[in-house]
Amino acid sequence: MIIVLKPNSSDEQIQHILEKIEEMGFAHDLSKGEKRTVIGVIGEEDLLREAPLRALPGVEDVHAVLKPYKMASREYQEEDSVIDLGYGVKVGGGHLMMIAGPCAIEGKEILSEIAHAVKASGANVLRGGAFKPRTSPYSFQGMGEEGLKILQEVGHDLQMPVVTEVMDPRQVDLIDKYTDIFQIGARNMQNFNLLKEVGSTNRPVLLKRGMSATVVDLLMSAEYIMANGNKQVILCERGIRSFDSSTRNLLDLAVVPNVKGLTHLPIIVDPSHATGRPDLIPAMSLASIAAGADGVHIEVHCNPELAKSDGPQALLPNQFDEVMKKMRSMAELMGKTIGDPVATA
């Protein structure tokens, strides 16, 4: 259920309502928006319908949330969520998150070279994998904690928030020491133990769509994170499985406006994993912003031929620079901004 409060409800009335909800045996979540304040009430459906919620002082109306994803729905929060990523970078509500960097962290020198290049071009979040889920057990699996230390150091030196993938609930505490944003990869979108674990942290979570996941599947996975206390969820479209082998995956750009009508959470697009082809990434990046995405996620490497992971789909720094110039123009046309990281004390 969603309790809509009267515009003039006092803090004392709100606290009284929360206490009464707890006495009834329900969980609650308070959300103060620009236009209205609502309280999400979570509990057994039959009991919720019978609860005298409308009788509480300060309550204007009570609505049943029909969608299975409660906290992620537009019914729960009408305004777009704006998530602070660190170093003054935000995503959502007109703020674009521009992620760039190599697929895997291969060493400090090469990561620093790539990071300096992408930041100069306008990227505001640095990516790099320390733990890599590879299809083959014989492929490069990442540098582990050493890679995390390198990523944190390079990001800190450039005053850029960093994002890296977490694959297992047992890795969360370790990665939490080094990253600004957790990434949940496509293979782990429905790893519910992992979703619960990152849901208990205060870090933003970049949640990638599974290769065969529906929109509702994606939003339900976001709900797992939010239901465990973490509302800082960023959705990511990275392509779904298709019968066509000319691209790595099928980029479902219609999902962007589709999702935006259903949820207040920001959604970005990863054209690198979606297409797997550098020649298609520029056009799909621009199309993503035009479709209303809150950012893009592009893999960049100074020497793709020598990359230890996903080299064939990486853009060169000069190619990324050209794409960023065009995306700035597209962002301006769409009334959105690409915020630069700001130095912090």
Side-chain angles (χ1 to χ4, degrees), residues 288-311:
S288 300
I289 302 301
D294 296 294
V296 295
H297 178 293
I298 298 176
E299 290 191 356
V300 180
H301 202 285
C302 294
N303 194 340
E305 293 180 6
L306 299 180
K308 295 182 179 180
S309 178
D310 283 348

Side-chain angles (χ1 to χ4, degrees), residues 173-333:
D173 287 342
L174 172 65
I175 295 177
D176 187 47
K177 297 177 183 177
Y178 299 103
T179 195
D180 298 297
I181 307 158
F182 286 113
Q183 176 182 306
I184 304 293
R187 291 175 176 86
N188 275 310
M189 190 206 79
Q190 290 184 313
N191 183 339
F192 299 120
N193 288 331
L194 178 57
L195 299 180
K196 290 177 182 179
E197 196 68 26
V198 296
S200 66
T201 73
N202 294 318
R203 298 279 184 200
V205 180
L206 178 64
L207 178 65
K208 288 197 167 187
R209 183 183 182 184
M211 289 176 280
S212 301
T214 67
V215 169
V216 172
D217 291 337
L218 176 61
L219 293 176
M220 288 305 296
S221 290
E223 191 76 10
Y224 259 91
I225 298 170
M226 300 178 76
N228 280 274
N230 188 348
K231 297 181 184 179
Q232 302 177 91
V233 182
I234 306 148
L235 307 175
C236 181
E237 166 61 31
R238 47 81 65 211
I240 53 178
R241 286 199 184 279
S242 167
F243 54 82
D244 188 354
S245 60
S246 65
T247 57
R248 182 171 179 174
N249 294 287
L250 173 67
L251 178 53
D252 179 14
L253 278 185
V255 78
V256 175
N258 185 4
V259 162
K260 281 193 162 290
L262 299 172
T263 181
H264 53 87
L265 298 175
I267 179 169
I268 70 169
V269 175
D270 175 358
S272 297
H273 283 90
T275 67
R277 289 174 48 182
D279 60 316
L280 300 180
I281 291 171
M284 292 301 95
S285 298
L286 291 170
S288 300
I289 302 301
D294 296 294
V296 295
H297 178 293
I298 298 176
E299 290 191 356
V300 180
H301 202 285
C302 294
N303 194 340
E305 293 180 6
L306 299 180
K308 295 182 179 180
S309 178
D310 283 348
Q313 70 185 29
L315 294 185
L316 291 165
N318 66 308
Q319 294 173 319
F320 178 72
D321 188 64
E322 287 300 313
V323 176
M324 279 299 305
K325 289 176 182 176
K326 294 176 181 178
M327 283 196 290
R328 282 192 183 278
S329 298
M330 181 62 74
E332 185 177 350
L333 182 65

